[in-house]
Amino acid sequence: MKNITDSFLCLIYWPSAVSFGFDTDILATNLINLSAVLGVLIFFGKGVCASCLFQRLSDLLDNRKERILRTIRNSEELRETAIEQLEKARARLRKVEMEADRFRVNGYSEIEREKLNFINSIYTTLEQFENYKNETIHFEQQRAINQVQQRVLQQALQGALGTLNSCLNNELHLRTISANIGMFGAIKEKNH
């Protein structure tokens, strides 16, 4: 949180300082990006139907939510399969323990070593399933966030272009070109 405050203080107290590079503070960067997108949306989106934009955004978010929930359900099914395998492994372990009691005199240490290896392999398998589930959820969340950001930016740009195109008519376009040509001519004369 301190980094966000420092970033804003830097913007407030040193507005003329020019710096270029990569900002590794993701929270401050996201706030700046979000404020830029909202500024563009507000400035250029005056003629855009806000409810349509929010409806499309809501639909996108609902679709992403469904995909994430489906991934979570799949992960839960994998988890249930792992639990079933664990129960089978426990039954097998009980069987191995019964055999260990019979062979305790001859091979107690060897059986114990196999039992520990078997338990460790089961726990390793469960950890792998849990890690896979967590990675899948994280990946789907990141993909959803990226897709929503791209869609919002694309819709904002389309709305801005639509607003600009609807505002420009031939007469205004010709006046703008003439003014710019005159301005460039004045600059050229001033430099010579």
Side-chain angles (χ1 to χ4, degrees):
M1 197 63 164
K2 184 176 187 270
N3 291 337
I4 294 172
T5 308
D6 292 342
S7 297
F8 284 114
L9 288 176
C10 180
L11 291 174
I12 292 170
Y13 294 117
W14 295 293
S16 63
V18 176
S19 165
F20 183 80
F22 291 105
D23 188 1
T24 58
D25 183 5
I26 195 159
L27 291 176
T29 305
N30 282 338
L31 287 174
I32 292 170
N33 290 339
L34 183 60
S35 62
V37 168
L38 286 176
V40 167
L41 281 174
I42 290 170
F43 183 77
F44 290 113
K46 292 177 184 172
V48 176
C49 175
S51 64
C52 296
L53 180 64
F54 286 117
Q55 180 62 40
R56 289 188 70 186
L57 181 60
S58 175
D59 291 344
L60 284 172
L61 289 174
D62 288 341
N63 289 341
R64 295 309 297 153
K65 179 181 175 184
E66 282 299 319
R67 286 183 188 159
I68 289 171
L69 288 175
R70 197 175 322 122
T71 302
I72 290 171
R73 275 187 243 119
N74 290 342
S75 297
E76 288 299 324
E77 289 174 8
L78 288 174
R79 182 177 173 269
E80 290 174 9
T81 303
I83 289 173
E84 289 175 10
Q85 288 179 352
L86 178 62
E87 290 301 319
K88 289 178 184 177
R90 285 181 179 162
R92 185 174 165 199
L93 178 61
R94 286 189 290 271
K95 182 179 175 184
V96 168
E97 286 175 341
M98 289 171 42
E99 289 178 12
D101 288 337
R102 281 195 323 228
F103 296 111
R104 188 174 301 266
V105 175
N106 295 333
Y108 181 79
S109 62
E110 181 66 27
I111 292 172
E112 284 297 315
R113 188 171 33 248
E114 286 183 18
K115 181 174 81 171
L116 290 174
N117 288 340
F118 186 72
I119 290 171
N120 288 336
S121 70
I122 293 298
Y123 282 125
T124 302
T125 302
L126 286 175
E127 286 177 1
Q128 288 172 347
F129 279 130
E130 189 67 26
N131 289 339
Y132 174 75
K133 180 184 86 169
N134 292 336
E135 288 174 3
T136 303
I137 290 169
H138 178 71
F139 174 76
E140 285 298 324
Q141 287 173 341
Q142 285 302 115
R143 201 165 93 185
I145 289 169
N146 289 339
Q147 194 172 37
V148 167
Q149 286 175 346
Q150 287 175 354
R151 293 285 174 102
V152 167
L153 182 59
Q154 182 182 17
Q155 289 174 357
L157 289 175
Q158 287 175 350
L161 286 174
T163 301
L164 284 175
N165 287 335
S166 67
C167 291
L168 287 177
N169 58 23
N170 286 339
E171 181 183 339
L172 181 60
H173 190 64
L174 290 174
R175 278 194 282 158
T176 303
I177 292 172
S178 297
N180 286 332
I181 290 172
M183 185 173 61
F184 286 127
I187 291 173
K188 187 175 180 181
E189 290 178 8
K190 186 177 182 181
N191 288 337
H192 288 290

